[in-house]
Amino acid sequence: MSDTARGTSRRYGTRPTMKDVAARAGVGLKTVSRVVNGEPGVTPDTERRVQEAITSLGFRRNDSARILRKGRTASIGLVLEDLADPFYGPLSRAVEEVARSHGALLINGSSAEDPAREQELALALCARRVDGLVVIPAGDDHRYLEPEIAAGIATVFVDRPAGRIDADVVLSDNFGGAQDAVAHLIAHGHRRIGFIGDQPRIHTARERLRGYRTAMAAAGLPVDDSWVSLGPTDPERVRGAATDMLDSPEPVTALFAGNNRVTVTVVRVLGERPRQVALVGFDDFELADLVQPAITVVAQDAARLGRTAAQLLFRRLEGVDDPPRRVDIPTRLIARGSGELRPAGS
């Protein structure tokens, strides 16, 4: 007969206690505690009855008190920009694998590129007594974490540096990768190259713009203001920027897209046009090798970023107290076809 049929209702959020187990098994609390913690001094028959009661009630040991006595929760927090962004999938998985190898649980959440939400989420994780944080920052002022770090919460930043505090950080070579992308287009005959990037307050967007300008300057090429567009990566804004660059009196012959979301929109824009335009995107993305022409990209090693950040975090948790480190992870240009198209008539 179900609980409902007996006239009782289940109270969700109320879990069975050791007292409930003791009552069901007909033993004392100390006996239940010994069975739950694997301690000696319990007869086989009594242990069997206690285990049957545990199974029947669905009892799970509450480790909170034991954890607090140790001063560690065996958990870490990961603050991402957007859980739905494919770039963060392998990064998150790599952090989780390192945490698991250290017997720790990963708790993650998304800041949605909102500095206030990032702070709220990071402090909520700290309030839940995580041992450490891996943060992909949305904001540029992380002094709010200083009391938490001083209290012993290890913190590592990844993909973008911390703002206004010194902390470990793991970065991709955004500047060098952008340089490689633009130099690749120049080597294939392009002189009018447009850049569509993310919002200028974001470190990665600024570094990729700097790489673009440096490559153009190194080749002795001017950059017209109309060839550069930074802003939100929503499709409408990106489509408008690409259309303006391609339909101007002196149209660009190639585009450098500042991240995977920009690249996907640009691919759609170019697919609607009869004239082929060269394209290199920063970040690889799913099916990039299957469109025609396949998309040339600057690929980041997202898994290595996450793994390196997590390893730094656990070094800190193990007592390493050297000065904050910066680790730069190289990027890789993958030529697939779109970046090798030459300007029309060349």
Side-chain angles (χ1 to χ4, degrees):
M1 185 180 293
S2 69
D3 286 342
T4 303
R6 292 190 184 101
T8 61
S9 61
R10 177 172 294 150
R11 291 183 298 153
Y12 291 101
T14 303
R15 300 177 180 178
T17 65
M18 285 206 299
K19 185 176 179 181
D20 298 323
V21 174
R24 175 68 68 94
V27 299
L29 279 174
K30 183 61 177 176
T31 300
V32 176
S33 176
R34 285 174 175 156
V35 173
V36 167
N37 293 299
E39 297 173 0
V42 182
T43 67
D45 180 63
T46 300
E47 182 176 359
R48 177 186 56 76
R49 284 163 40 216
V50 171
Q51 291 292 0
E52 287 175 353
I54 286 171
T55 301
S56 174
L57 292 170
F59 171 80
R60 294 291 181 272
R61 182 176 66 183
N62 183 348
D63 284 338
S64 298
R66 186 169 57 87
I67 285 169
L68 292 177
R69 284 196 300 272
K70 289 183 175 181
R72 293 276 289 272
T73 63
S75 63
I76 64 170
L78 172 61
V79 180
L80 296 165
E81 175 197 344
D82 182 358
L83 288 168
D85 188 329
F87 173 73
Y88 294 118
L91 188 153
S92 176
R93 178 63 181 272
V95 174
E96 184 175 28
E97 287 300 316
V98 174
R100 185 168 178 266
S101 73
H102 286 81
L105 176 71
L106 176 67
I107 307 168
N108 60 28
S110 172
S111 70
E113 202 61 73
D114 179 348
R117 186 165 167 178
E118 173 215 301
Q119 179 173 339
E120 178 186 4
L121 178 57
L123 292 178
L125 289 166
C126 292
R128 283 158 178 76
R129 300 179 68 92
V130 294
D131 298 323
L133 289 173
V134 176
V135 181
I136 297 171
D140 56 8
D141 187 348
H142 293 92
R143 288 176 295 176
Y144 71 85
L145 281 172
E146 286 181 331
E148 311 300 332
I149 294 171
I153 295 181
T155 305
V156 175
F157 291 80
V158 64
D159 192 43
R160 308 165 187 172
R164 307 184 74 174
I165 65 171
D166 292 326
D168 291 325
V169 61
V170 182
L171 304 171
S172 286
D173 183 8
N174 294 284
F175 172 74
Q179 269 192 303
D180 291 343
V182 177
H184 186 75
L185 291 167
I186 292 169
H188 286 83
H190 296 279
R191 299 296 178 263
R192 297 194 303 275
I193 301 170
F195 173 65
I196 305 175
D198 209 330
Q199 301 185 72
R201 66 178 177 81
I202 297 174
H203 168 81
T204 52
R206 294 195 304 270
E207 284 296 284
R208 292 167 196 177
L209 174 61
R210 188 167 71 91
Y212 161 83
R213 290 190 178 278
T214 298
M216 294 290 280
L221 299 175
V223 174
D224 191 281
D225 288 344
S226 65
W227 298 352
V228 176
S229 177
L230 272 67
T233 58
D234 62 272
E236 184 177 356
R237 201 282 300 183
V238 174
R239 176 177 285 275
T243 300
D244 289 346
M245 293 181 194
L246 295 168
D247 290 343
S248 70
E250 290 289 327
V252 298
T253 64
L255 288 168
F256 172 41
N259 65 28
N260 53 7
R261 286 166 290 188
V262 173
T263 306
V264 168
T265 300
V266 171
V267 167
R268 292 193 172 110
V269 172
L270 296 183
E272 299 165 0
R273 292 172 172 262
R275 178 171 62 90
Q276 286 195 320
V277 174
L279 170 65
V280 177
F282 205 110
D283 292 336
D284 206 355
F285 61 97
E286 192 173 5
L287 305 182
D289 57 334
L290 297 182
V291 297
Q292 291 296 326
I295 308 303
T296 296
V297 298
V298 175
Q300 301 187 75
D301 192 338
R304 186 175 172 189
L305 283 169
R307 183 168 56 254
T308 304
Q311 288 169 342
L312 277 176
L313 186 76
F314 280 98
R315 285 179 73 251
R316 294 298 182 191
L317 291 173
E318 288 162 2
V320 175
D321 194 28
D322 51 13
R325 293 182 58 191
R326 168 174 169 155
V327 179
D328 291 287
I329 306 297
T331 58
R332 178 169 60 102
L333 189 130
I334 304 174
R336 294 193 178 116
S338 69
E340 293 68 60
L341 297 173
R342 301 188 70 84
S346 66

